Amino acid sequence: MSYEELTQEELAEIEKVRALENATLFKTAAEVAELYKELGEVKVSACALGYACRYKGLGHVKALVENGASFNIENSTDMYRIYQCWGTNYAVGLLDFNKALGRSYFIHSGELDMRITHLLNADNGTSKLVLPLGERLEILRYLYENRECVCLETDELLFYALIARNKEVVAELKGLGAAFSEKIIKMLTESRRSFMWDEYCGMVGGFEKEELFGFYKDILAEIGEGTRLRYTEGIYYATLRRFPETDVFELLIEHFDCAKMNKTQILKDFVLKEKTDCLSAAEKYGWLSQPRRRDELIKYASEHEKTETAAWLLDFKNRTADFAAEREKAEKKIMRELNASPDSVSELKKIWSYKKQEDGTLVITSYKGDKTEVTVPERIGKSAVTAIGDYAFSTGAPHISRDIVRRRAKIAKITLPDSIAVIGRNAFDSCSALEDINIPDGVTELPYGMFSSCTSLKTVKIPDSVKTIGESAFAYCKVLEEINFPDGITEIPNGVFHACASLKAVKIPASVRIMGNYVFSGCSNLKSIELPDGIPEIGNNMFGMCGSLESIDIPSSVTKIGAWAFQNCRSLKRLTVPEGVTEIGDRAFIVCASLETLELPASVKKIKNYKYRDHAPQTILYNTPNVTVTVPPKSYSEKYCKRNGIKYTVKEN
């Protein structure tokens, strides 16, 4: 377990939580109730309640609930930092775990078993006896009666019981009145990304085939037999990638939203696995009706020496093709292409994917061409192009072929028209050959990861219209040498220039009031920087690994210096922390080999050390051997240096 200088209050709360968990496991119900009264409020009682549900019995559950225990648990980084657990639904302690439930991110048997094993010291294989089903159902009835005060999410528990294929628990919950909430129904049917959806896809991949069919039969009974279920690649990998069989394929076709299916990819998988029965089903559903797709599959089967599926596809072609009509259509297409203008819609569609927006303008969603110097069209047909979509040029875009990745990796120059006003997240991410690009005047935001990992990009001119810059916008642009910020920018967020190893000098506008974490971390050639007066803190790891940074003036407005702020600044010789700074984070100046003088003000009231397991604490000057700290007399800084054995001198008034 890793601790980051927990406060006394946090440590005391951890002790209360652990005491309650131990008592739940090793004490009688009466002793648990007595201890709970002594402890008072326990902020995290969900774990103990989950243990009681699974291993102890109704008496222990009542002893906990009657004294304030509940399944309420916050899903946050602080929760993990302090208590080493996420927002786990510990009510799953009532269930029998199968392989599918065991693949969950947050609510698998490992979460309960890991902590129970630790508490029982039973890593030698000692079994942990789970309560008989009848006792767990009795507990469930009690919890359902008290569901509001114990924060029992009955809809989630029903969903996980279906995943676990616990028919008795499902029947009991439904008999008590539990049903899917609108949130779970939307997760299963609507296109919106969430952690729960990712977890669900992972769990489906753990089903055996019989379980898969039983689960979806039950799901459809809950949400309505005629409802179409949401389909993504997660479902594809969990089902057809695992079960490339006709009945599984037909299950997906009949009950899922087919519009989201990559039909060509699925058919290619059938070809590679020589699944002619699945190809027959695909024929039945009209998936092979397009001659181009049919011929692509024949070519694909031949190239991969899949003789059985190649023979089936050739037979299908001979059975169904109207050769005269196909030949006539192909000849007309050739003539159209010969006579087409390069700027015609038909030609531009070969190069660009795009969508019409509500105002009638177009957003470019994907570049499919093969040129190294690309000019984005100002119009396609009668519609103006006003936006570049997320990942439109990125080699890391989801769902693109290797061929398109190779083409995009060769793009050296991109010219955007003046009509562009919006650019999406990661639009040019990982365009490793990109050297030259313009940002049109009128663009107001450079979004998250816009030029991340553009490793050939040396300079970018940001127009005055830009008011917002997203996180990691220029991260890993290793040859970026200079950058200009327009006046009016108020925030430089996290990681904007992380690992820009060639960046030498930056001037931040006076308008900036917020600077995030690791903004310049890894800028190994950064020698100087001017920070604006008005920023309240130096963020975590802001200048970490800036090995060439020789000097810096910290503005008088700064009140906090974050963790790792100047770690590994090997060339930094002197640093004055201004009056007004009250807190310095852990390892702020570690491994600063050349640092000789560090002056700390009287205003400092808190300096964090870092402690990891049983290792000795690391001070803010760990592995900074040549430094002498100048401190005011009788100050907190003097006491800190004295307590930690740091060489210091007292500054005379």
Side-chain angles (χ1 to χ4, degrees):
M1 179 177 176
S2 177
Y3 292 95
E4 294 226 1
E5 277 291 313
L6 297 175
T7 66
Q8 290 301 314
E9 292 80 7
E10 290 168 341
L11 289 169
E13 192 59 42
I14 288 174
E15 290 303 314
K16 289 167 68 175
V17 169
R18 297 295 180 257
L20 185 62
E21 291 175 359
N22 274 285
T24 301
L25 291 166
F26 301 117
K27 303 289 186 181
T28 66
E31 289 171 325
V32 170
E34 184 178 347
L35 173 66
Y36 211 147
K37 288 183 176 69
E38 292 175 10
L39 293 173
E41 182 188 1
V42 179
K43 290 185 178 178
V44 179
S45 55
C47 316
L49 188 54
Y51 299 156
C53 291
R54 188 165 184 78
Y55 302 107
K56 301 304 292 185
L58 183 58
H60 281 73
V61 170
K62 286 184 176 180
L64 291 166
V65 172
E66 289 170 2
N67 285 280
S70 77
F71 291 113
N72 183 40
I73 186 168
E74 182 185 355
N75 189 7
S76 68
T77 52
D78 270 349
M79 183 60 62
Y80 186 77
R81 178 178 66 87
I82 299 170
Y83 302 106
Q84 298 297 293
C85 63
W86 292 101
T88 302
N89 188 334
Y90 282 95
V92 296
L94 293 163
L95 305 178
D96 291 319
F97 297 124
N98 64 350
K99 184 179 177 182
L101 194 65
R103 289 165 62 98
S104 139
Y105 293 153
F106 298 123
I107 51 145
H108 50 77
S109 57
E111 172 70 23
L112 285 165
D113 289 351
M114 177 182 69
R115 297 186 68 179
I116 198 89
T117 300
H118 173 72
L119 290 165
L120 292 173
N121 194 24
D123 54 2
N124 56 0
T126 304
S127 65
K128 300 179 287 295
L129 295 178
V130 177
L131 290 169
L133 175 62
E135 291 188 40
R136 281 180 278 137
L137 292 178
E138 186 180 9
I139 292 170
L140 174 58
R141 287 189 284 273
Y142 170 76
L143 292 173
Y144 193 89
E145 289 175 6
N146 297 276
R147 57 190 179 278
E148 291 186 6
C149 68
V150 299
C151 301
L152 179 67
E153 296 184 13
T154 58
D155 58 335
E156 268 194 21
L157 186 58
L158 176 60
F159 177 69
Y160 291 127
L162 287 168
I163 289 281
R165 310 307 300 140
N166 284 190
K167 295 181 180 179
E168 296 87 350
V169 178
V170 170
E172 188 69 39
L173 279 166
K174 289 174 68 65
L176 290 167
F180 279 180
S181 63
E182 185 179 349
K183 180 184 81 169
I184 289 180
I185 293 174
K186 284 186 175 181
M187 186 271 293
L188 290 167
T189 59
E190 295 185 9
S191 183
R192 50 177 70 185
R193 187 72 181 268
S194 68
F195 282 115
M196 192 174 185
W197 173 262
D198 292 338
E199 179 186 59
Y200 156 66
C201 291
M203 290 189 291
V204 169
F207 281 133
E208 298 302 324
K209 186 176 172 183
E210 184 179 341
E211 290 179 311
L212 180 76
F213 277 85
F215 172 71
Y216 279 118
K217 180 181 178 182
D218 292 342
I219 288 292
L220 290 166
E222 288 298 317
I223 66 175
E225 191 65 37
T227 307
R228 285 277 172 176
L229 297 170
R230 179 186 173 198
Y231 180 90
T232 66
E233 279 204 349
I235 297 296
Y236 168 61
Y237 280 98
T239 53
L240 277 182
R241 279 287 194 182
R242 187 153 181 253
F243 302 116
E245 299 176 26
T246 308
D247 51 357
V248 178
F249 176 52
E250 291 185 336
L251 169 75
L252 295 179
I253 294 295
E254 291 170 6
H255 298 298
F256 285 78
D257 181 2
C258 300
K260 302 295 183 181
M261 294 182 182
N262 186 334
K263 295 180 176 64
T264 300
Q265 182 59 58
I266 292 171
L267 290 168
K268 284 182 176 179
D269 277 356
F270 292 162
V271 167
L272 290 178
K273 291 171 180 168
E274 300 273 31
K275 301 297 294 185
T276 55
D277 55 340
C278 290
L279 290 174
S280 295
E283 177 188 0
K284 181 175 73 173
Y285 289 107
W287 280 32
L288 296 172
S289 59
Q290 296 178 8
R292 188 177 71 173
R293 178 182 288 161
R294 176 203 64 204
D295 291 344
E296 282 180 1
L297 288 173
I298 292 171
K299 180 182 178 183
Y300 186 78
S302 299
E303 289 173 346
H304 290 81
E305 298 180 348
K306 300 299 177 182
T307 54
E308 187 176 349
T309 45
W312 188 95
L313 287 164
L314 286 168
D315 176 68
F316 167 76
K317 181 176 181 176
N318 289 329
R319 284 188 289 109
T320 61
D322 183 340
F323 291 104
E326 287 185 20
R327 183 165 52 251
E328 182 181 357
K329 186 176 180 180
E331 289 172 353
K332 287 181 178 179
K333 181 182 177 184
I334 291 171
M335 291 304 297
R336 282 198 307 270
E337 289 178 349
L338 288 173
N339 296 321
S341 163
D343 295 327
S344 67
V345 172
S346 60
E347 290 301 300
L348 290 174
K349 277 185 175 180
K350 297 176 184 178
I351 303 171
W352 306 100
S353 293
Y354 53 88
K355 289 182 179 179
K356 184 165 283 192
Q357 304 183 94
E358 289 184 3
D359 63 358
T361 63
L362 303 181
V363 53
I364 296 293
T365 57
S366 181
Y367 175 67
K368 302 177 289 185
D370 56 6
K371 293 185 177 181
T372 58
E373 294 191 2
V374 181
T375 299
V376 175
E378 188 170 358
R379 306 185 75 84
I380 296 179
K382 296 180 179 180
S383 301
V385 175
T386 60
I388 304 296
D390 297 350
Y391 293 97
F393 290 85
S394 172
T395 61
H399 318 311
I400 60 172
S401 68
R402 292 181 181 178
D403 182 48
I404 290 180
V405 170
R406 284 192 292 268
R407 293 184 212 170
R408 291 183 180 182
K410 296 177 182 178
I411 297 173
K413 181 179 180 179
I414 297 174
T415 302
L416 301 176
D418 292 339
S419 58
I420 296 294
V422 176
I423 299 176
R425 292 164 61 96
N426 299 94
F428 310 102
D429 169 48
S430 300
C431 288
S432 55
L434 184 63
E435 297 178 2
D436 187 8
I437 186 170
N438 66 303
I439 301 173
D441 192 12
V443 171
T444 59
E445 179 182 3
L446 307 187
Y448 178 93
M450 179 173 174
F451 294 110
S452 178
S453 298
C454 288
T455 52
S456 299
L457 194 64
K458 290 186 177 181
T459 181
V460 177
K461 186 178 186 307
I462 303 175
D464 292 339
S465 57
V466 171
K467 303 302 179 187
T468 305
I469 298 178
E471 292 187 12
S472 305
F474 297 92
Y476 301 100
C477 290
K478 65 181 183 181
V479 300
L480 186 69
E481 296 178 352
E482 59 178 299
I483 197 79
N484 70 298
F485 286 106
D487 291 332
I489 293 285
T490 59
E491 180 178 358
I492 309 293
N494 296 340
V496 170
F497 299 108
H498 173 65
C500 290
S502 300
L503 200 63
K504 295 179 180 178
V506 180
K507 183 177 180 180
I508 309 296
S511 56
V512 169
R513 289 294 176 268
I514 299 173
M515 294 190 69
N517 300 321
Y518 55 96
V519 173
F520 299 103
S521 60
C523 293
S524 54
N525 279 296
L526 184 67
K527 291 185 177 181
S528 64
I529 186 168
E530 293 182 31
L531 297 177
D533 193 21
I535 61 171
E537 64 180 85
I538 304 295
N540 296 340
N541 206 22
M542 183 181 283
F543 297 102
M545 305 297 290
C546 289
S548 299
L549 188 66
E550 296 175 351
S551 63
I552 185 171
D553 291 329
I554 299 175
S556 58
S557 57
V558 170
T559 60
K560 179 182 177 181
I561 294 175
W564 298 81
F566 295 94
Q567 59 102 359
N568 280 81
C569 288
R570 300 187 305 273
S571 301
L572 193 63
K573 293 184 178 181
R574 295 176 181 81
L575 186 63
T576 298
V577 177
E579 190 68 36
V581 171
T582 60
E583 181 179 346
I584 299 175
D586 60 87
R587 298 160 288 177
F589 312 105
I590 67 170
V591 200
C592 292
S594 301
L595 189 63
E596 298 174 354
T597 302
L598 174 64
E599 187 170 334
L600 299 179
S603 57
V604 172
K605 301 300 179 187
K606 184 177 182 180
I607 300 177
K608 287 188 176 182
N609 282 350
Y610 174 75
K611 183 147 187 344
Y612 179 72
R613 292 183 178 171
D614 298 325
H615 295 264
Q618 294 180 6
T619 72
I620 58 170
L621 291 160
Y622 179 76
N623 273 0
T624 300
N626 303 313
V627 68
T628 299
V629 182
T630 302
V631 298
K634 299 181 180 180
S635 64
Y636 176 90
S637 300
E638 181 182 7
K639 294 175 184 176
Y640 176 81
C641 291
K642 189 179 295 184
R643 185 168 64 247
N644 290 281
I646 296 171
K647 185 169 64 173
Y648 72 95
T649 181
V650 176
K651 181 180 181 180
E652 298 299 330
N653 291 331

